[in-house]
Amino acid sequence: MPNAILRYVHNKPVPASITLVEGNVLRVKLEAIDKRYTLVAVSDYPNVLEVTGSTHNSRADSWAFAVTARSAGSAKLMMKSERGARDSALTITPALVSVTVKKAVSLPDPGSDAGLLVRLFLVEVPAPQEWAFTGISSSEDAREAMRMMRRVIANRLDSGSTKEFMAAGARDIRGIVTASDRGSVQFEGFEHYPQIDKEKQKMIEARMAILNDATNGWQEKYAAFYEAALSTATEPLRPDPSPTGLFAWRTKGSRSPSPEFVEFKTLGGNTFFTHKRYRIPGR
C-alpha cells in the first residue's frame, strides 16, 4: 500500500496535533504522489478551519494545500485520496490532524497603565531574535529588565522632584514617560503617547505579528516575551534591586545621563542607573 507523509512547506513532517492563531494560513504539501491519485483536503468545521487553496504540480507529482484558521475552536484536517477502482488505497501520515485555533492576542487598552507599559517594554527590551547578542538567555532575563524599567518610572514619579526628569507636575506614569523639554525627551518615541513614533509603532506591530503567527518558528519565544511584558505591567510593583533605587536606563555603551547618575547593572542591551541624590524610601 503506497504511503505519503504530510509535510510543512519547509519539509518538516506535520504532527497529529497542532495549534494555530486566528488568521494564520497553514501551508502543507504531499510529494511524489502517483499520478493515478487525486488528493482533496477536508475540514470538519470550515468555520474554524477552512481549506482556502489547493495546487497540483503534475510535473513534480506534488500537491499543496492552504488552510486558514478562521475562528477560535477545534477542527480536524484530513487528506482524502481518490483513485481508480483497481488501485491500492493511499495511506497518508498523519491520517488526521487535530487543529486548535486560538484567539489572536491584542495589546491592552492604550489608555491604561498596562497598555502604556507593555508597548514601552516591547520597544525597549530586545525581542527573542536579538537575545543571543544582547546578553538575554531567556524570557526571565527579559522580565527582569522590564521590572527594572518599571521601577525607574515608579521611582521618578515618587521622587518628590519630577522636574529633575523633565516631568514637572507629573501625576502618573504617563506624565513620566511623555516627559520632554525643548526637544529633549526621556523616552524616545513616546513623548506624544498614545501616539507613538512611526518606526517604533512598526516595531511593536512586527513583534505582535510574530506572536500571533503560530506557523512562525519564533512564535513560542515571542509568546513568552509578550507574557513577560504583560505580567510585569500588571503585577504588584516588585522590590527595587538596587541599594538606593533605580532612576534611569540607557542603551548599553551610552554615557550616563549626567554625572548625578551612577551605573548599577547592564542587562539586555540596556544599562540601569541609580542617582547620587535621590533615594527610594528606606534606603
Side-chain angles (χ1 to χ4, degrees):
M1 181 180 295
N3 181 63
I5 298 176
L6 185 65
R7 299 180 183 275
Y8 294 110
V9 292
H10 51 73
N11 282 328
K12 185 178 179 180
V14 176
S17 180
I18 62 174
T19 299
L20 298 175
V21 177
E22 289 175 326
N24 289 177
V25 178
L26 174 67
R27 302 183 189 280
V28 295
K29 65 181 181 178
L30 288 155
E31 296 181 310
I33 304 300
D34 191 296
K35 296 182 186 297
R36 293 173 295 175
Y37 296 94
T38 298
L39 302 186
V40 179
V42 179
S43 168
D44 62 344
Y45 288 102
N47 62 312
V48 174
L49 193 70
E50 180 186 8
V51 179
T52 51
S54 301
T55 304
H56 176 229
N57 186 327
S58 58
R59 180 173 296 180
D61 291 338
S62 66
W63 290 80
F65 300 96
V67 184
T68 300
R70 292 297 186 194
S71 61
S74 298
K76 291 181 172 56
L77 177 67
M78 181 171 61
M79 302 296 165
K80 291 185 175 181
S81 65
E82 299 175 356
R83 66 190 192 285
R86 291 181 295 178
D87 296 325
S88 299
L90 176 65
T91 299
I92 298 174
T93 305
L96 200 67
V97 180
S98 296
V99 183
T100 299
V101 179
K102 294 184 176 180
K103 284 188 174 295
V105 175
S106 299
L107 288 163
D109 179 356
S112 66
D113 285 354
L116 169 56
L117 289 171
V118 167
R119 288 167 173 83
L120 185 66
F121 296 155
L122 291 180
V123 165
E124 292 289 327
V125 178
Q129 285 157 302
E130 303 168 316
W131 287 356
F133 54 87
T134 56
I136 293 180
S137 60
S138 68
S139 60
E140 287 307 307
D141 281 349
R143 190 189 308 273
E144 181 183 354
M146 294 170 187
R147 284 174 172 165
M148 289 197 288
M149 289 177 178
R150 187 177 169 192
R151 253 296 168 188
V152 167
I153 296 168
N155 289 349
R156 288 186 173 195
L157 183 61
D158 297 336
S159 66
S161 184
T162 55
K163 65 180 180 181
E164 179 81 28
F165 310 104
M166 295 185 191
R171 297 181 178 180
D172 52 28
I173 67 169
R174 179 169 171 172
I176 297 296
V177 173
T178 58
S180 63
D181 181 28
R182 290 172 292 183
S184 296
V185 301
Q186 290 292 292
F187 298 88
E188 186 179 354
F190 284 78
E191 60 270 24
H192 301 299
Y193 188 84
Q195 180 181 341
I196 299 173
D197 171 81
K198 184 178 179 180
E199 290 303 312
K200 295 191 182 300
Q201 180 62 33
K202 286 172 60 178
M203 182 188 299
I204 293 170
E205 291 171 359
R207 293 179 176 184
M208 292 299 293
I210 296 175
L211 165 66
N212 282 316
D213 183 4
T215 68
N216 188 303
W218 286 92
Q219 190 269 343
E220 187 174 346
K221 287 189 175 181
Y222 273 77
F225 177 57
Y226 179 81
E227 190 281 327
L230 182 62
S231 63
T232 300
T234 55
E235 69 186 8
L237 186 65
R238 293 299 183 99
D240 197 304
S242 74
T244 57
L246 298 174
F247 287 89
W249 78 82
R250 301 197 77 179
T251 303
K252 178 182 178 181
S254 300
R255 292 183 301 175
S256 167
S258 81
E260 296 281 354
F261 291 88
V262 179
E263 184 175 331
F264 170 69
K265 182 177 183 178
T266 296
L267 176 64
N270 290 293
T271 300
F272 293 84
F273 298 85
T274 59
H275 199 280
K276 289 183 178 179
R277 289 183 289 110
Y278 292 102
R279 300 285 189 273
I280 60 174
R283 305 260 180 125

